């Protein structure tokens, strides 16, 4: 009897250990490929008219009320983390969301999207919202951290995606 219990317990433990929970997944859309920032999607200081890349987020965790997207420049330390280029929030329901593109440099956004925190840039690079890639074509690497957040502001899950070089 003891061997049967041990066998059943071992089988159940292996089932639990191999059961997978879907992780949040993000895909760029609208011509963004994660390798190169599309033409014109950089800041106005360098002749662009940039907006955030549209994204599709799937397998949102249960309880997610918002998606916060932190935009960063990996190669420019002052704007390399915690939304150096700004944080945009999108209200969400269900298990997936399409995050539409919003115009850079704007404090008020279309639809239900909000500026959670403006870019940390200063001087001529200051922005009241999202600062599009603005390295002047020096091949800087831009990325985003996508966070699923509950109604109380608790981060439920996060992932990263490369936006591209500019």
């Amino acid at each position: 009897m003891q061997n049967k219990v041990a066998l059943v317990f071992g089988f159940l433990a292996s089932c639990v250990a191999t059961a997978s929970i879907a992780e949040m997944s993000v895909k760029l859309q609208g011509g963004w490929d994660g390798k190169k920032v599309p033409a014109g999607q950089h800041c106005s200081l360098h002749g662009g008219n940039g907006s955030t890349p549209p994204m599709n987020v799937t397998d949102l965790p249960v309880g997610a009320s918002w998606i916060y997207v932190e935009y960063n420049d990996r190669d420019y330390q002052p704007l390399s983390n915690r939304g150096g280029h700004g944080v945009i929030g999108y209200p969400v329901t269900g298990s997936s969301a399409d995050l539409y593109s919003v115009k850079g440099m704007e404090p008020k956004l279309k639809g239900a999207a909000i500026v959670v925190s403006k870019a940390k840039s200063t001087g001529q690079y200051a922005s009241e919202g999202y600062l599009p890639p603005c390295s002047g074509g020096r091949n800087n690497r831009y990325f985003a951290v996508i966070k699923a957040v509950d109604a109380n502001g608790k981060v439920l899950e996060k992932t990263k995606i490369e936006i591209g070089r500019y």
Side-chain angles (χ1 to χ4, degrees):
M1 179 69 171
Q2 195 173 24
N3 286 342
K4 286 182 183 180
V5 171
L7 182 63
V8 169
F9 180 74
F11 173 75
L12 291 175
S14 71
C15 287
V16 170
T18 59
S20 64
I21 296 173
E23 291 184 16
M24 190 169 63
S25 177
V26 179
K27 290 183 182 173
L28 295 173
Q29 298 179 324
W32 292 77
D33 63 7
K35 295 176 184 167
K36 184 175 179 174
V37 172
Q41 293 300 327
H42 53 281
C43 69
S44 58
L45 288 170
H46 297 287
N49 191 22
S51 297
T52 62
M55 300 179 203
N56 176 259
V57 184
T58 57
D59 296 318
L60 289 170
V62 173
S65 297
W66 288 89
I67 295 291
Y68 289 175
V69 183
E70 299 177 352
Y71 296 94
N72 301 288
D73 177 346
R74 184 171 277 113
D75 298 303
Y76 183 63
Q77 186 59 36
L79 304 181
S80 67
N81 59 53
R82 296 190 186 115
H85 276 254
V87 181
I88 304 299
Y90 297 85
V92 296
T93 58
S95 63
S96 66
D98 286 314
L99 309 182
Y100 52 88
S101 182
V102 297
K103 188 169 174 42
M105 310 296 281
E106 300 288 329
K108 296 201 187 268
L109 308 176
K110 70 178 182 180
I114 61 168
V115 174
V116 175
S117 63
K118 66 182 187 174
K120 297 174 186 172
S121 50
T122 59
Q124 65 180 350
Y125 295 94
S127 172
E128 291 300 313
Y130 164 71
L131 174 66
C134 210
S135 64
R138 293 188 187 125
N139 219 19
N140 286 25
R141 298 167 294 165
Y142 294 88
F143 70 99
V145 176
I146 296 86
K147 295 181 177 180
V149 180
D150 72 10
N152 297 317
K154 179 182 175 190
V155 175
L156 303 173
E157 191 173 338
K158 69 180 180 177
T159 189
K160 273 198 273 192
I161 191 165
E162 297 299 317
I163 292 174
R165 289 181 177 264
Y166 169 68

